[in-house]
C-alpha cells in the first residue's frame, strides 16, 4: 500500500493506492508502466530510475541482471507525480523477487536514493490521516500503521483521533532511515548483508539473489543454439 496526497489548493487529503510489481527473466530492466502510458511526471520517473540504480548496486556481483520488471499504481488513471512512492515501489519489487509477502496492514511513503537511504517527503500528515481513515472504516485491528521516513518525524502534526489511536496501541507509526529497515519490518525477515559468497540464503536479499540467478540461467539457456 502506497500513500498519495491530492492537493486542491485550499484543501489536501491523502489516500492509499495499491502498488504492484511483476518480474521475470529478460534483458529490458525495469519498466515504469505509468511512464509508458504517459501518466507520470518527470520527478516520478526520476524516482523509479533511482530505485532501479539502487537495486542494480545491491547485485553488482552478479551483473548484468537478466531481469524484466514492471511497477504500476493499480487503477490510478489521473496521473502520478513526485518520488514519494519510490520506497513502496522498491519494496514491491523485492517482494516479488524474493517471494516474501509484505504486511498489508502497513502503508508506505518515502523516497529512496541510490545508497538505499530513505528520504523525507511532503504531505506526510495528510497521507497518514488518509490511511488511518481507511483502516478505521475497515475496523482497527491493532496491527495497522504506516511506515514513514525517520526524517519526517519532526513534521508530524496529526489529527487528535490518530494520536489517540496511537496512544492506545490501535494504530502505529513506524519510521525507517534505510530501505533495509523498512523491508525487514514489512516482511519480518532479515534483510541481508553481502558476504564473500553472496547474501545469506534465508534473508530478503538472499532469496532475491537466487531468483536473479535463476533468471540468468533461463536467459543463458534461451541464448544457446539448438543442438542437432
Amino acid at each position: 500500500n502506497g500513500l498519495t496526497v491530492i492537493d486542491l489548493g485550499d484543501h489536501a487529503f491523502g489516500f492509499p493506492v495499491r502498488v504492484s510489481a511483476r518480474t521475470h527473466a529478460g534483458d529490458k530492466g525495469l519498466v515504469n508502466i505509468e511512464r509508458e502510458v504517459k501518466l507520470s511526471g518527470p520527478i516520478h520517473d526520476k524516482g523509479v530510475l533511482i530505485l532501479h540504480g539502487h537495486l542494480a548496486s545491491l547485485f553488482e556481483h552478479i551483473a548484468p541482471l537478466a531481469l524484466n520488471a514492471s511497477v504500476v499504481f493499480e487503477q490510478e488513471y489521473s496521473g502520478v507525480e513526485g518520488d514519494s512512492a519510490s520506497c513502496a515501489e522498491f519494496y514491491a519489487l523485492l517482494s516479488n523477487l524474493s517471494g516474501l509477502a509484505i504486511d498489508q496492514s502497513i502503508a508506505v511513503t518515502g523516497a529512496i536514493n541510490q545508497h538505499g537511504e530513505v528520504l523525507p517527503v511532503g504531505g506526510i500528515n495528510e497521507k497518514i490521516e488518509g490511511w488511518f481513515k481507511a483502516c478505521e472504516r475497515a475496523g482497527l485491528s491493532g496491527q495497522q500503521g504506516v511506515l514513514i521516513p525517520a526524517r519526517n518525524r519532526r513534521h508530524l502534526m496529526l489529527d487528535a483521533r490518530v494520536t489517540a489511536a496511537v496512544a492506545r496501541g490501535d494504530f502505529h507509526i513506524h519510521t525507517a532511515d534505510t530501505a533495509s529497515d523498512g523491508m525487514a519490518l514489512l516482511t519480518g525477515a532479515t534483510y541481508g548483508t553481502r558476504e564473500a559468497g553472496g547474501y545469506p540464503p534465508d534473508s530478503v536479499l538472499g532469496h532475491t539473489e537466487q531468483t536473479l540467478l535463476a533468471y540468468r540461467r533461463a536467459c543463458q539457456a534461451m541464448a544457446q543454439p539448438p543442438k542437432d
Side-chain angles (χ1 to χ4, degrees):
N1 295 299
L3 293 174
T4 63
V5 63
I6 298 294
D7 191 343
L8 302 177
D10 60 345
H11 180 66
F13 60 93
F15 66 95
V17 61
R18 180 175 178 174
V19 179
S20 66
R22 298 294 291 174
T23 65
H24 55 279
D27 59 5
K28 294 182 180 179
L30 177 59
V31 174
N32 173 12
I33 292 178
E34 314 304 329
R35 180 183 181 184
E36 294 299 308
V37 298
K38 298 180 174 58
L39 279 177
S40 66
I43 299 175
H44 179 259
D45 295 341
K46 180 180 179 180
V48 174
L49 292 172
I50 288 171
L51 78 87
H52 190 203
H54 177 54
L55 180 68
S57 73
L58 291 173
F59 301 98
E60 60 187 1
H61 59 297
I62 58 173
L65 300 181
L67 173 69
N68 282 1
S70 60
V71 293
V72 69
F73 280 50
E74 299 286 359
Q75 292 192 302
E76 172 53 59
Y77 307 113
S78 59
V80 177
E81 181 57 306
D83 61 358
S84 65
S86 57
C87 272
E89 291 166 321
F90 179 69
Y91 297 146
L93 273 173
L94 279 188
S95 174
N96 188 264
L97 284 166
S98 67
L100 297 172
I102 285 176
D103 186 346
Q104 296 298 302
S105 63
I106 301 175
V108 177
T109 187
I112 189 173
N113 68 16
Q114 292 194 103
H115 300 286
E117 298 169 329
V118 178
L119 306 179
V121 296
I124 192 70
N125 292 295
E126 290 84 359
K127 291 173 180 177
I128 294 173
E129 290 168 1
W131 177 241
F132 174 78
K133 290 176 182 177
C135 294
E136 191 178 44
R137 182 167 295 182
L140 294 175
S141 65
Q143 303 301 314
Q144 297 124 325
V146 293
L147 174 61
I148 67 171
R151 299 186 198 181
N152 272 128
R153 280 182 294 202
R154 63 190 183 93
H155 302 129
L156 295 181
M157 192 169 59
L158 297 165
D159 182 86
R161 290 203 340 270
V162 180
T163 58
V166 170
R168 293 193 305 269
D170 291 336
F171 190 77
H172 306 277
I173 298 177
H174 308 279
T175 63
D177 287 299
T178 64
S180 59
D181 297 335
M183 195 63 184
L185 171 72
L186 293 170
T187 62
T190 303
Y191 191 64
T193 300
R194 197 167 84 195
E195 302 167 350
Y199 291 103
D202 59 346
S203 66
V204 173
L205 296 185
H207 287 293
T208 301
E209 183 179 55
Q210 292 306 308
T211 299
L212 291 173
L213 287 171
Y215 287 172
R216 171 178 284 185
R217 289 192 292 269
C219 287
Q220 289 172 339
M222 291 295 294
Q224 292 177 352
K227 297 180 180 179
D228 293 334

